[in-house]
Amino acid sequence: MLLSSAILAPLGLAQDGLAIRVNVGLVNVAFTARNAAGKLVADLTKDDLEVLDDGAPQTISFFARSADLALALGLIADVSGSQERFLKSHERDLNTFLKNVLHEKDSAFLVCFGNRIRLMSDFSSKREPLIDALKDSEKEKHGPLDGSYPVIGPRGERRILGTAFYDALYYATVEKLGDEKLEGGRRALIVFSDGEDNSSAHHMLDAIEAAQSTDTVIYALRYTETDKRGPNARNKYGTSVMARIAKDTGGRDFDAREENMKSAFTEIEAELRASYQLAYHSSNSDGTFHKLVVRSKRPGVVIRAKSGYLAKEGL
């Protein structure tokens, strides 16, 4: 079962650097649930849930399990110098993940970025084009990112330094997962980076807002390159950025230096299969951020969802 255009809130896309706003006739929320032992809970019903919008209880208008909905997945790969070794070493695990997670009704795309943001592979239900495109990005440090693949975001924007992390998240979300032609369903990004940025026109809150407005869950796979003295201040900032983006969109962040990435892919796959989607009507039209809480009525069950949404003005 797919979310129809009548269910999904229409999206207003940003222009000239302005933040996007969600039409909140209907607020869409993706979420996961775990029990007290940390195990995913896959048998919740609408009656097991309570939704609070700025503390006010809401009536759930739509509810579905992930198995009933198509998945639109974006892979966002940082190919700046600090990340080259990280991506190559986890190609096999990513290939296995895509083989397991992409079904006939699902699709994924690949965006690679340094200071430019390139669409390396458009939506496909097959993993081979995605892996082949990722390999292309590794052939030369500046190879396919010099113009062989289409640009995501503004075409003529001048960039001096090397890593446009926030812009990559923002434009991948707005231009790909926010496309009105995209059929309804689940939306997620898996981001491979250290969270450091020195070349974006947008900032962290823009990236978070874009994800919240399109109901996109972000999973962050972080590899921070440090020297023998340990992380520096910029490394620590990147770490906090990726943790914040994942948390505020209902996703998770993983430290590739501390955790097994094969296990991380397995956990993400399990969450994507055991997640839920709900929607409720809202009359908010004041252009401000509204806090969202989804709670389970079952004892010991903890819900993870986005932290809120920015309402469209003047509805």
Side-chain angles (χ1 to χ4, degrees):
M1 178 180 182
L2 298 179
L3 288 173
S4 69
S5 59
I7 292 293
L8 282 174
L11 300 172
L13 301 188
Q15 295 182 3
D16 300 324
L18 297 177
I20 64 176
R21 299 292 186 268
V22 63
N23 180 327
V24 291
L26 210 67
V27 178
N28 301 290
V29 186
F31 67 95
T32 55
R34 291 182 181 269
N35 62 22
K39 302 294 185 182
L40 286 164
V41 178
D43 63 345
L44 291 178
T45 68
K46 181 171 70 172
D47 294 334
D48 291 320
L49 301 169
E50 181 181 20
V51 179
L52 303 176
D53 188 320
D54 287 340
Q58 304 295 311
T59 300
I60 297 173
S61 303
F62 174 86
F63 176 84
R65 295 179 180 86
S66 60
D68 301 323
L69 301 172
L71 171 66
L73 177 67
L75 305 176
I76 313 298
D78 184 342
V79 294
S80 60
S82 65
Q83 297 297 294
E84 288 177 312
R85 289 178 296 167
F86 169 52
L87 279 171
K88 191 170 184 62
S89 65
H90 294 292
E91 240 174 52
R92 181 180 297 177
D93 294 336
L94 177 59
N95 196 353
T96 300
F97 167 79
L98 291 172
K99 180 179 180 180
N100 292 336
V101 81
L102 287 182
H103 298 162
E104 185 177 351
K105 64 185 178 182
D106 304 323
S107 60
F109 65 92
L110 171 66
V111 164
C112 289
F113 71 95
N115 70 343
R116 291 291 171 192
I117 306 155
R118 301 279 179 180
L119 179 63
M120 304 294 290
S121 179
D122 211 339
F123 280 112
S124 173
S125 60
K126 307 294 184 183
R127 73 185 188 281
E128 290 84 4
L130 301 165
I131 297 299
D132 289 346
L134 184 59
K135 289 178 179 177
D136 279 350
S137 75
E138 298 165 354
K139 288 179 181 177
E140 299 179 52
K141 186 173 181 179
H142 301 293
L145 299 188
D146 63 3
S148 304
Y149 292 84
V151 170
I152 296 291
R155 302 319 188 249
E157 197 162 64
R158 183 168 174 258
R159 297 178 186 274
I160 298 175
L161 298 176
T163 309
F165 173 71
Y166 297 133
D167 278 1
L169 292 183
Y170 181 87
Y171 288 114
T173 303
V174 170
E175 293 193 13
K176 303 306 296 179
L177 296 181
D179 188 342
E180 292 179 336
K181 296 178 182 178
L182 184 66
E183 273 197 29
R186 297 170 292 152
R187 290 166 166 80
L189 291 180
I190 299 179
V191 184
F192 305 84
S193 183
D194 55 10
E196 298 178 26
D197 188 299
N198 58 17
S199 192
S200 287
H202 291 85
H203 51 68
M204 178 179 67
L205 294 182
D206 289 334
I208 291 172
E209 182 189 321
Q212 290 175 337
S213 297
T214 54
D215 201 35
T216 297
V217 177
I218 297 179
Y219 291 94
L221 300 183
R222 174 172 43 83
Y223 178 84
T224 302
E225 190 176 57
T226 62
D227 59 29
K228 61 183 180 181
R229 294 171 294 179
N232 58 35
R234 191 163 189 83
N235 298 152
K236 292 177 180 178
Y237 177 75
T239 297
S240 66
V241 162
M242 293 191 79
R244 170 77 182 275
I245 288 173
K247 180 177 182 293
D248 281 2
T249 62
R252 294 177 62 190
D253 69 304
F254 299 85
D255 184 347
R257 297 182 69 91
E258 301 292 335
E259 302 179 54
N260 183 300
M261 284 295 96
K262 183 177 182 180
S263 297
F265 282 124
T266 299
E267 290 185 43
I268 294 171
E269 177 192 346
E271 288 203 0
L272 290 173
R273 291 182 184 279
S275 62
Y276 301 86
Q277 198 93 10
L278 66 78
Y280 65 93
H281 289 276
S282 171
S283 59
N284 292 324
S285 58
D286 53 11
T288 65
F289 182 82
H290 294 269
K291 186 177 180 181
L292 171 68
V293 175
V294 181
R295 295 196 299 224
S296 173
K297 298 176 185 177
R298 291 190 191 178
V301 173
V302 177
I303 303 292
R304 191 173 72 247
K306 62 185 179 183
S307 59
Y309 65 95
L310 196 64
K312 182 179 176 68
E313 294 182 71
L315 261 183

